[in-house]
Amino acid sequence: MIERGTTKYGLNKAGFTLHSTIHEARKDINAIIHVHTNVAAGLSALKVGLLPISQEALLCGHVGYHDYEGILVDEPMRAKIKRDLGEKHKILVLRNHGIVFCGATLEEAWLRLITFMSAVDIQFHAMAAAGGNGANLIVPPERVLHQVQRILQVGVNEKPKDGSIQWSLGDMELEAEMRKLDRMVYHSIFFLLYSN
């Protein structure tokens, strides 16, 4: 612990193991969000994982999966987390546990989180409407996934020619969310962080 501040609490070893392992493995990742919501934990318990049945799921791209072996505190788990995250995944499903969202920025990690949660919600509705029968679901071909991922990398927004703001992945979406919170009389986290 570098700076304890005013807290007398100790370190969350499981949280530290997960986050430090990812940062150690991937220099392109600067932000990590880990959630245990009902939707996230529910998806993490499905053998099929995230199905590419919606645009939101296709935006998530290929997702990594890490099998549950208990609380993430044992040193051997670090190598398995690195292996399962791989060199390209930005979303890692921790089976029977929750989901990890990664990004070069907080905005990117957050966009991956909301996109994934929307994809899972759509999947749960589609699976319920299909009576749990996967044969009733329409799965686009792999080439469509590649096309969506290619467009996501290039960007769907026109590049400004006048020197105005160049938005990165997730910037506009998080800005819009902060404005919604501000209109609801909440102050955005960025106002609180940067006003000091």
Side-chain angles (χ1 to χ4, degrees), residues 11 26-27 33 43-44 66 89-90 93 98 100 110 114 120 138-139 152 154 160 166-168 170 190 192:
L11 182 70
R26 295 274 298 276
K27 301 306 177 202
I33 303 171
L43 186 278
S44 76
H66 174 76
H89 297 308
K90 295 276 186 102
V93 175
V100 178
W110 180 82
I114 62 163
V120 173
I138 299 169
V139 179
L152 188 61
V154 173
Q166 177 66 48
W167 298 98
S168 294
F190 290 111
L192 296 173

Side-chain angles (χ1 to χ4, degrees), residues 82-135:
K82 289 178 186 179
R83 178 199 66 214
D84 296 336
L85 181 63
E87 295 180 10
K88 301 220 187 254
H89 297 308
K90 295 276 186 102
I91 299 173
L92 181 63
V93 175
L94 304 174
R95 297 274 192 197
N96 307 100
H97 182 162
I99 318 291
V100 178
F101 304 94
C102 306
T105 63
L106 178 61
E107 291 84 356
E108 180 187 347
W110 180 82
L111 179 64
R112 292 186 186 288
L113 180 148
I114 62 163
T115 303
F116 185 89
M117 292 302 184
S118 181
V120 173
D121 194 44
I122 292 166
Q123 179 173 322
F124 286 173
H125 279 83
M127 289 175 73
N133 183 352

Side-chain angles (χ1 to χ4, degrees), residues 10-90:
L11 182 70
N12 177 328
K13 191 169 180 188
F16 180 78
T17 298
L18 176 63
H19 289 251
S20 66
T21 298
I22 293 171
H23 283 300
E24 183 181 291
R26 295 274 298 276
K27 301 306 177 202
D28 62 317
I29 293 173
N30 298 310
I32 301 167
I33 303 171
H34 173 51
V35 298
H36 294 233
T37 64
N38 292 346
V39 170
L43 186 278
S44 76
L46 289 178
K47 286 181 181 179
V48 296
L50 182 67
L51 298 172
I53 60 171
S54 66
Q55 179 165 294
E56 287 75 5
L58 295 172
L59 287 169
C60 291
H62 290 289
V63 174
Y65 293 88
H66 174 76
D67 288 335
Y68 188 72
E69 296 183 48
I71 306 297
L72 297 170
V73 293
D74 299 328
E75 200 58 33
M77 288 185 186
R78 295 174 70 89
K80 292 177 182 177
I81 292 168
K82 289 178 186 179
R83 178 199 66 214
D84 296 336
L85 181 63
E87 295 180 10
K88 301 220 187 254
H89 297 308
K90 295 276 186 102

